[in-house]
């Protein structure tokens, strides 16, 4: 491969790794029209809520098992678009139930 072609490919690959511009550096504001706990992502029409919980206990049995621990992490996003509202929801559960 000629050196000029190799340099051209290398420089174009480096451009692809540049950080994308953020919509805004402004702080997030409350988004009460979507419900409690939602905040609007600055520069967008998207509202975001991140929530979760952790529960732990003690297993006092003689079986030598580990302490039961449960956890949940949720992300809920809502956006108004030209076609109507769009929602995405992700919930991760872990531990014994």
């Amino acid at each position: 491969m000629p050196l000029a072609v190799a340099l051209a490919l290398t420089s174009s690959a480096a451009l692809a790794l540049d950080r994308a511009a953020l919509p805004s550096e402004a702080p997030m504001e409350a988004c009460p029209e979507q419900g409690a706990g939602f905040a609007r992502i600055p520069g967008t029409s998207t509202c975001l809520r991140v929530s979760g919980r952790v529960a732990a206990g003690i297993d006092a049995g003689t079986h030598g098992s580990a302490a039961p621990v449960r956890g949940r992490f949720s992300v809920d996003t809502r956006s108004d678009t030209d076609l109507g509202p769009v929602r995405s929801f992700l919930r991760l559960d872990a531990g014994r139930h």
Side-chain angles (χ1 to χ4, degrees):
M1 177 181 319
L3 181 59
V5 172
L7 289 175
L9 290 174
T10 304
S11 64
S12 64
L15 294 176
L17 298 176
D18 291 341
R19 180 175 78 96
L22 295 173
S24 173
E25 297 291 335
M28 295 178 78
E29 297 177 0
C31 194
E33 65 272 11
Q34 296 297 338
F38 280 90
R40 184 172 316 283
I41 298 172
T44 71
S45 65
T46 301
C47 295
L48 172 74
R49 178 173 61 186
V50 177
S51 61
R53 63 183 181 204
V54 175
I58 297 175
D59 188 354
T62 59
H63 296 82
S65 61
V69 177
R70 295 185 309 266
R72 174 180 287 172
F73 176 74
S74 302
V75 178
D76 190 353
T77 62
R78 300 178 185 181
S79 299
D80 291 324
T81 68
D82 294 337
L83 299 174
V86 174
R87 179 180 182 197
S88 66
F89 185 78
L90 171 71
R91 180 184 300 167
L92 302 173
D93 288 316
R96 290 190 321 191
H97 295 280

